[in-house]
Amino acid sequence: MESPRVIAGVARIVRDVAIAEELAQDALVAALEQWPRDGVPDNPGAWLTATAKHRAIDLVRRRERYARKLAEVGRDLEATPHHVDEPADPDDIDDDLLRLVFTACHPVLSAESRIALTLRLLGGLTTAEIARAFLVAETTVAQRIVRAKRTLAAKGVAFEVPYGPERDARLGSVLEVIYLIFNEGYAATAGDDLLRPALCEDALRLARVLAELMPKEPEVHGLASLLEFQASRSAARTGQNGEPVLLGDQNRTRWNRLLIARGVTALGRADAVATGAPGPYALQAAIAACHAHAHRYEDTDWARIATLYGLLAARSPSPVVELNRAVAVSMAEGPGPALEIVDRLAGEPALRGYHLLPSVRGDLLARLGRTAEARAEFERAASLARNERERELLRARAQDCR
């Protein structure tokens, strides 16, 4: 629990994420050695942070290549009393944690590396846990993390929170990483399970932390709201045997009302601090809110959802957004107009191999009574799906068309 804060505090001193992580681990080892003998301190987090910082100071002193850094920061650091009961300054720790978030999610890294490094440093996951979550080899994850640390050092990425246009660009990267982590947990790309709850929980926790650290950023609250709403439906999205349950068939009494309330609050905060039109995450949160407010599937305000998807498509054009808009249009106006939208997406390169395109088209065709065509679409969708649970569902829908 304390690891991200300890790493963040030390990284501010040594300006190297890899070294900061090693020093944080050294502090944890020291705790395992001393606490059983001397007792657990009143503020364990402050103890760990202070111990790691003191080791960082010693490292700076020992290594000649840190001589310049010692001249710049050593004088101030030595003014701090060298005892392990150093009180932690919550504001200072939060600033360091925010720097660590922006460093781990720097655009100079690939998306896969950003995700792995964020889960390692901020989520506290081991390399093995990350590998299991994304169904890749442990060595692959380890290499991504090592390469990410080397890249940050080689590129001289500053351990700081950027401002102005650079901050806007970097914040987008941070939000994207958290969003991708949640999505992988909410609808696993591959494997035997539809959900990976641990990833959803990690992403949700990161979004909540970021919202506390950056209270004036509307899109941060928008993302937090979206994840709260989505997470509220998790318990109802699978049946007793882990099979997917479609939105219209979900038992809404199993939706988590506390998470829905948190989503409403976060969306209100996003609206309160926004100075212009809502951003993509706030718009997606507003769509999720429409579902959350409908006590029955039949009560869903599909017309408003279709309008919100239209705004989202204008704000962030995407074939996937347009496909989602088609679903909303089909519920608000009927399958005919929606099929026209879907057919226009057939040639989109980004949707080539995307199993939800033929899945949506199959649903629309089935509702129009064109069952033979619908069956072919569901079979094609099943052949493209990489998740076994989704494949089973799509094959069942194809069978129903017979």
Side-chain angles (χ1 to χ4, degrees):
M1 290 170 61
E2 294 293 337
S3 179
R5 296 180 182 275
V6 177
I7 294 172
V10 176
R12 177 164 55 87
I13 299 172
V14 299
R15 304 283 170 172
D16 188 305
V17 172
I19 295 174
E21 188 179 17
E22 292 176 5
L23 293 173
Q25 291 171 353
D26 288 346
L28 294 171
V29 172
L32 289 172
E33 294 172 345
Q34 296 181 37
W35 291 0
R37 182 184 69 240
D38 303 333
V40 179
D42 293 335
N43 190 335
W47 192 100
L48 291 168
T49 300
T51 300
K53 283 184 176 180
H54 295 153
R55 290 173 184 252
I57 294 170
D58 291 339
L59 180 65
V60 170
R61 286 187 178 133
R62 286 198 308 268
R63 297 191 177 183
E64 290 184 359
R65 64 190 181 91
Y66 286 122
R68 182 178 301 174
K69 191 173 298 183
L70 177 61
E72 295 173 353
V73 303
R75 203 172 299 109
D76 293 335
L77 293 173
E78 287 185 333
T80 302
H82 284 213
H83 55 80
V84 296
D85 293 322
E86 175 188 348
D89 181 346
D91 292 333
D92 184 54
I93 288 178
D94 285 348
D95 288 344
D96 290 339
L97 193 58
L98 194 56
R99 292 186 185 97
L100 185 60
V101 171
F102 274 89
T103 302
C105 298
H106 197 287
V108 74
L109 304 175
S110 68
E112 294 82 3
S113 295
R114 278 180 264 160
I115 290 172
L117 190 60
T118 300
L119 288 175
R120 181 73 185 88
L121 298 181
L122 294 156
L125 273 68
T126 65
T127 303
E129 288 171 332
I130 299 171
R132 282 198 300 271
F134 286 90
L135 300 180
V136 295
E138 188 173 343
T139 53
T140 300
V141 173
Q143 289 170 357
R144 287 176 182 173
I145 293 174
V146 169
R147 281 199 298 266
K149 294 174 182 177
R150 287 176 179 169
T151 300
L152 292 174
K155 297 291 185 179
V157 173
F159 186 72
E160 63 183 8
V161 177
Y163 294 92
E166 185 183 355
R167 175 170 173 169
D168 294 337
R170 293 268 292 277
L171 179 60
S173 174
V174 172
L175 298 179
E176 179 191 25
V177 167
I178 297 175
Y179 183 67
L180 289 173
I181 292 172
F182 184 89
N183 277 353
E184 184 58 32
Y186 192 72
T189 305
D192 296 330
D193 299 317
L194 180 69
L195 302 179
R196 298 200 181 107
L199 280 180
C200 291
E201 292 166 6
D202 282 319
L204 190 54
R205 179 161 50 84
L206 290 173
R208 289 171 179 169
V209 168
L210 198 61
E212 292 300 319
L213 296 178
M214 306 184 73
K216 296 182 179 180
E217 291 289 345
E219 275 294 77
V220 173
H221 294 298
L223 177 63
S225 174
L226 172 62
L227 302 195
E228 300 280 8
F229 282 131
Q230 297 291 76
S232 73
R233 303 203 295 263
S234 295
R237 292 187 63 238
T238 53
Q240 291 184 344
N241 298 317
E243 70 278 7
V245 179
L246 298 176
L247 182 62
D249 300 325
Q250 290 177 15
N251 179 359
R252 300 195 174 207
T253 62
R254 299 188 67 196
W255 288 8
N256 189 313
R257 309 312 299 184
L258 175 60
L259 293 182
I260 289 175
R262 292 181 65 101
V264 171
T265 300
L267 186 57
R269 288 174 180 164
D271 292 338
V273 298
T275 57
Y281 293 113
L283 286 170
Q284 291 179 71
I287 292 169
C290 290
H291 292 296
H293 290 315
H295 293 288
R296 300 181 308 157
Y297 184 71
E298 295 78 10
D299 299 333
T300 307
D301 189 348
W302 288 106
R304 174 166 171 73
I305 291 176
T307 299
L308 288 169
Y309 268 121
L311 294 173
L312 181 60
R315 183 75 167 76
S316 299
S318 160
V320 174
V321 171
E322 193 67 4
L323 182 63
N324 287 329
R325 187 175 76 86
V327 174
V329 168
S330 77
M331 301 304 297
E333 304 176 21
L339 185 60
E340 295 178 8
I341 298 174
V342 171
D343 285 343
R344 288 198 296 268
L345 296 172
E348 284 287 346
L351 297 182
R352 187 178 297 118
Y354 187 54
H355 68 286
L356 291 183
L357 177 61
S359 174
V360 169
R361 192 168 190 275
D363 182 72
L364 298 176
L365 290 168
R367 288 165 58 188
L368 289 169
R370 297 159 61 178
T371 54
E373 296 172 80
R375 183 175 66 251
E377 289 296 308
F378 284 131
E379 289 174 347
R380 185 162 74 92
S383 70
L384 294 173
R386 294 169 55 197
N387 183 279
E388 183 57 34
R389 294 294 185 178
E390 287 188 299
R391 274 198 295 267
E392 292 173 358
L393 174 64
L394 291 166
R395 286 168 182 157
R397 297 206 67 185
Q399 186 66 28
D400 289 342
C401 291
R402 292 184 184 276

